[in-house]
Structure formats: C-alpha cells, structure tokens
Amino acid sequence: GAVVSQHPSRVICKSGTSVKIECRSLDFQATTMFWYRQFPKQSLMLMATSNEGSKATYEQGVEKDKFLINHASLTLSTLTVTSAHPEDSSFYICSAYQGYEKLFFGSGTQLSVL
Amino acid sequence: AQKVTQAQTEISVVEKEDVTLDCVYETRDTTYYLFWYKQPPSGELVFLIRRNSFDEQNEISGRYSWNFQKSTSSFNFTITASQVVDSAVYFCALSEAGSSASKIIFGSGTRLSIRP
C-alpha cells in the first residue's frame, strides 16, 4: 500500500520557538493532505486541509497564523507550529489523499513544548 | 453535519472473548464512506476497513467482522477470540463522498484492553 512518511516522530522544544513537521507521500502524488491533532486519550481533530499550490483551509477555531501550512509540491506538506507554547503540546498526524476515498496516514509527531 | 458516535469509551475483556465495538453515525449525504482504524500505543493509525454507503454486506476478515446497518446508521466492529495484541484504541470514522478529497471525521474512539 501507499506510504506516507511523517518527520520527526518526536520533538521537544522550548516555549517560543517554532517547529516544522513534514508529511511526504512516498509513492504517489497527493494534491490534498490533511492535518490532525490529538490530545491524550482524545480523538483526532481535523485542523486543516492542505491543497497543493493554494492556501490551506482551516477548521473553525484553528489559528492559521499559529499553524502555518505549506503544500509546495505534490508530495510534501509541512506544518509549522509558530511560537510554540506548552498548550500546543500534542500528537500531530497527517494524511495524504490518493484518490477514490483512499487516505493514508503518517505515523504521527509527538510535540512537547517545555 | 456529519457526526460519529462511539459510546463505549473503554472496554476490557479477557483474552479469547469476543468483543463488539459500537459505532453510530449521522450524515445528510446518501453517498458516504465509513472507516475503522486501529491506533496502537505507538500512535500510528492502522487502516482496517472502508465501506461505502451502497454496500451493506457484512464483511469478515479473519477474526474481524463488521456489521453495517443503514436502517440504524450503525457500523459495528466485532473481534472474535480476542488477543492481547488487539489492545488499542479503535476509531470509527466517516467521510462524505464528493468529486474531490473528502475529509474524514473521527469518532471519539474506544480504548480496548485485552487481559491475558
């Protein structure tokens, strides 16, 4: 099956710094990728839809200036958490849409902000 | 608006018991997809099944089976002869089909613990 690579798998950063998370579709082109956030023992909440070559679409309540999404190529979307704070600590997971309702997930990134 | 409800927050059974995870969904669309994903402690999402709204046939895959009933808007998941390795959080999810990528909405998940 298709593979989606997400990097890094774990990151610890200081409050106020920015962190970039990469999501790559390894064997298919994905014009659309999705970013989810998951707090401990909770469900995955959709943050935004990332479209190649255009601006991301953010879900209600998600700050677009806080969570910058760049989908510069058909195989790469990045999520940058700017000026991270402890409340941003969470598990972030991306998914890439291959078509015909086939969606593949990355392995997730555990962000810890000190 | 679409919604997925997994009323069972946590389930704990003894190994070899059968267990059913419930999923009830809401959608206005006549065409949609339902999913089940497994999330082990490592965090990644493991795809288990995708079912479109026009296919109400139940499915069996090894020890796993799924019961899709449109009349009750339910898509339940049964594990037969459970094993310790089945311990994980299981998510039911829904996407409304369209001409472009459709976002998936997840239920709140059911944490399944299989005791030896």
Side-chain angles (χ1 to χ4, degrees):
Chain A
V3 177
V4 174
S5 173
Q6 186 172 341
H7 180 79
S9 58
R10 182 177 294 272
V11 58
I12 301 172
C13 69
K14 292 183 179 180
S15 185
T17 61
S18 294
V19 174
K20 180 184 285 188
I21 303 170
E22 292 187 350
C23 181
R24 293 180 185 273
S25 56
L26 297 184
D27 54 0
F28 68 98
Q29 294 182 332
T31 56
T32 302
M33 293 186 177
F34 301 94
W35 287 96
Y36 290 83
R37 178 169 57 184
Q38 184 181 28
F39 291 109
K41 296 190 176 182
Q42 294 189 24
S43 187
L44 288 82
M45 301 301 296
L46 180 66
M47 297 176 66
T49 302
S50 170
N51 298 298
E52 188 269 335
S54 64
K55 291 183 179 180
T57 304
Y58 290 83
E59 295 299 302
Q60 190 173 10
V62 178
E63 300 174 59
K64 61 181 181 181
D65 295 330
K66 174 76 169 174
F67 300 100
L68 300 179
I69 292 173
N70 187 324
H71 196 154
S73 77
L74 288 171
T75 59
L76 174 64
S77 175
T78 60
L79 168 67
T80 301
V81 183
T82 62
S83 187
H85 288 100
E87 57 265 30
D88 298 324
S89 298
S90 185
F91 186 69
Y92 294 87
I93 192 165
C94 71
S95 63
Y97 183 69
Q98 188 184 35
Y100 302 103
E101 303 302 324
K102 291 185 179 180
L103 197 64
F104 297 93
F105 285 84
S107 54
T109 297
Q110 182 64 53
L111 171 64
S112 300
V113 184
L114 304 178
Chain B
Q2 50 183 340
K3 182 180 178 182
V4 177
T5 301
Q6 294 180 256
Q8 304 151 306
T9 306
E10 295 191 32
I11 300 176
S12 180
V13 300
V14 177
E15 197 172 21
K16 297 184 182 178
E17 285 187 13
D18 299 346
V19 59
T20 296
L21 309 182
D22 298 333
C23 174
V24 175
Y25 63 92
E26 295 177 29
T27 178
R28 295 178 190 170
D29 274 16
T30 55
T31 304
Y32 51 89
Y33 290 87
L34 295 165
F35 305 79
W36 274 95
Y37 287 90
K38 174 182 179 180
Q39 187 178 42
S42 53
E44 78 274 18
L45 280 178
V46 179
F47 169 82
L48 296 178
I49 190 171
R50 177 180 59 126
R51 170 71 70 213
N52 76 54
S53 53
F54 296 110
D55 184 0
E56 283 195 75
Q57 283 190 342
N58 293 329
E59 180 156 339
I60 298 175
S61 176
R63 296 184 297 106
Y64 295 169
S65 63
W66 291 269
N67 185 316
F68 177 27
Q69 292 196 355
K70 289 180 75 172
S71 61
T72 56
S73 297
S74 64
F75 187 44
N76 296 337
F77 171 36
T78 297
I79 301 175
T80 304
S82 61
Q83 300 176 2
V84 173
V85 293
D86 296 327
S87 297
V89 179
Y90 290 85
F91 291 99
C92 180
L94 166 73
S95 76
E96 292 172 340
S99 57
S100 59
S102 300
K103 55 190 180 185
I104 290 181
I105 303 300
F106 287 84
S108 54
T110 297
R111 183 174 299 275
L112 177 63
S113 299
I114 309 298
R115 308 189 304 273

